[in-house]
């Protein structure tokens, strides 16, 4: 069977360098979901997926199955998303386990942002503290990249 390399082009300002951190916390599942869909619906073996900011193409980041990618494209060995085959599959499986949790929350209408907000500050309307970003800093880890 063929291999799938999924590329998600981002048109706005996007921090692709945060991908591995977000995946380790079980958030930002778009690339893993695309890879699972390519496998299930198209019969392709997931080889990798990347975020490609069109405004800064040199800043693309992704997750890659090193053995599979070595046959179809060259990826820098310094890439934090370059994983050996079993680690790549473990990442996809960990993300797959998060999907039902998110679906259940959405079905219940739970779209709340979970952050450690400042609270009842009288200067909230002036503050530049971006509370919505905090959901990425406090989530528990659901997957850990093995040390090389």
């Amino acid at each position: 069977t063929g291999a799938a390399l999924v590329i998600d082009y981002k048109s706005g300002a996007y921090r692709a360098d945060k991908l591995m951190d977000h995946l380790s916390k079980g958030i930002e599942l778009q690339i893993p979901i695309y890879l699972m869909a390519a496998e299930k619906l198209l019969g392709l073996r997931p080889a990798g997926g990347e975020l490609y900011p069109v405004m800064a193409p040199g800043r693309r980041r992704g997750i890659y199955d090193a053995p599979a990618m070595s046959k179809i494209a060259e990826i820098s060995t310094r890439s934090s998303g370059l994983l050996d085959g079993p680690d790549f599959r473990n990442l996809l499986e960990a993300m797959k386990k998060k999907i039902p949790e998110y679906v259940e929350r959405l079905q219940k209408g739970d779209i709340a942002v979970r952050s450690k907000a400042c609270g009842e500050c009288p200067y909230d309307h002036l503050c530049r503290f971006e509370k919505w970003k905090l959901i990425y800093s406090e989530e528990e880890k659901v997957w850990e990249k093995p040390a090389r």
Side-chain angles (χ1 to χ4, degrees):
T1 66
L5 172 61
V6 173
I7 300 173
D8 183 5
Y9 294 92
K10 298 293 186 185
S11 60
Y14 186 79
R15 296 284 313 267
D17 60 322
K18 298 285 188 185
L19 178 63
M20 289 303 288
D21 182 50
H22 292 174
L23 287 171
S24 73
K25 295 173 183 172
I27 51 182
E28 197 164 345
L29 305 182
Q30 195 169 0
I31 292 293
I33 288 172
Y34 290 163
L35 288 167
M36 288 181 251
E39 183 174 40
K40 185 171 184 163
L41 301 175
L42 303 175
L44 299 173
R45 183 176 37 86
E50 61 186 24
L51 300 171
Y52 190 100
V54 295
M55 303 305 273
R59 295 193 177 158
R60 67 190 216 203
R61 297 289 188 277
I63 54 172
Y64 310 98
D65 179 339
M69 287 301 295
S70 69
K71 297 175 185 169
I72 59 173
E74 186 174 321
I75 301 295
S76 170
T77 56
R78 295 186 331 226
S79 171
S80 64
L82 191 62
L83 306 167
D84 69 25
D87 291 337
F88 182 78
R89 292 306 306 181
N90 288 340
L91 170 63
L92 292 182
E93 286 302 315
M95 299 305 106
K96 188 176 184 177
K97 290 177 183 172
K98 291 298 288 182
I99 295 169
E101 175 187 327
Y102 291 130
V103 169
E104 182 179 343
R105 280 185 51 205
L106 288 171
Q107 287 174 334
K108 290 179 178 177
D110 177 6
I111 58 170
V113 173
R114 289 174 170 71
S115 72
K116 60 173 190 174
C118 294
E120 301 298 321
C121 176
Y123 303 103
D124 189 45
H125 63 289
L126 299 173
C127 185
R128 297 186 61 186
F129 186 69
E130 296 175 343
K131 299 172 192 170
W132 62 272
K133 285 187 176 181
L134 293 174
I135 61 171
Y136 295 125
S137 63
E138 297 297 316
E139 291 286 322
E140 69 179 52
K141 296 252 182 189
V142 297
W143 178 81
E144 189 90 31
K145 181 181 176 183
R148 288 186 184 184

